[in-house]
Amino acid sequence: MSSLLLHAWVSQSDEARAHWQQWRKSVDLASLDSVSCFLLPLLRPRLDGWLAGDAAGPLLLGICKQAWSGNQLRLRNLRMLWQAIVARGIQPVVVGTAASALLAEGPAILPIVGFEIMVPLDGVAAALDEAARLGWCPTEQILRSMSYIRM
């Protein structure tokens, strides 16, 4: 069912509305899947017109507000880590959904599910030190990729 939301996001006006209406008729909001919760905020600019008269409007807009609020917290944490890494003389680059959210224009909300920071190879240890100092823990995937890089 979440594919209908994706089509509603990428389609033109009338076709997008048709996908939305089909999604609304077929979805049980009590058991909304995570992909739909991710896609709904992307539709935020169109929802005001589509939710007119929909009793579930406040719930659906609440999902968008939750994504926006979560983004603000994640971006605050990202800024703190960014500043700490820059203070160590390392120039990081943000990639992934955080970078996309920072570059996005308009009222659509791209939920940030995590963020990735790329640093030069010679700055990895210092960046990880700063992350640990701020309470971050590297994932198993990062640790595996670091051992691969060192080989």
Side-chain angles (χ1 to χ4, degrees), residues 34 36-44 59-75 101 107-113:
S34 61
S36 294
C37 288
F38 182 84
L39 292 172
L40 271 169
L42 294 170
L43 294 168
R44 179 60 189 97
L59 171 69
L60 295 167
L61 291 175
I63 292 170
C64 297
K65 290 175 184 177
Q66 182 181 23
W68 182 87
S69 298
N71 279 2
Q72 302 315 301
L73 296 172
R74 288 177 190 91
L75 289 172
I109 303 163
L110 175 64
I112 300 171
V113 294

Side-chain angles (χ1 to χ4, degrees), residues 42-120:
L42 294 170
L43 294 168
R44 179 60 189 97
R46 296 177 169 181
L47 290 181
D48 288 334
W50 292 351
L51 291 175
D54 189 334
L59 171 69
L60 295 167
L61 291 175
I63 292 170
C64 297
K65 290 175 184 177
Q66 182 181 23
W68 182 87
S69 298
N71 279 2
Q72 302 315 301
L73 296 172
R74 288 177 190 91
L75 289 172
R76 182 197 66 194
N77 293 338
L78 174 59
R79 277 190 288 280
M80 289 171 45
L81 180 56
W82 179 277
Q83 291 166 349
I85 292 172
V86 169
R88 296 279 298 258
I90 304 165
Q91 293 303 311
V93 175
V94 177
V95 296
T97 56
S100 300
L102 290 170
L103 297 173
E105 295 181 21
I109 303 163
L110 175 64
I112 300 171
V113 294
F115 53 82
E116 300 82 30
I117 299 176
M118 293 175 43
V119 297

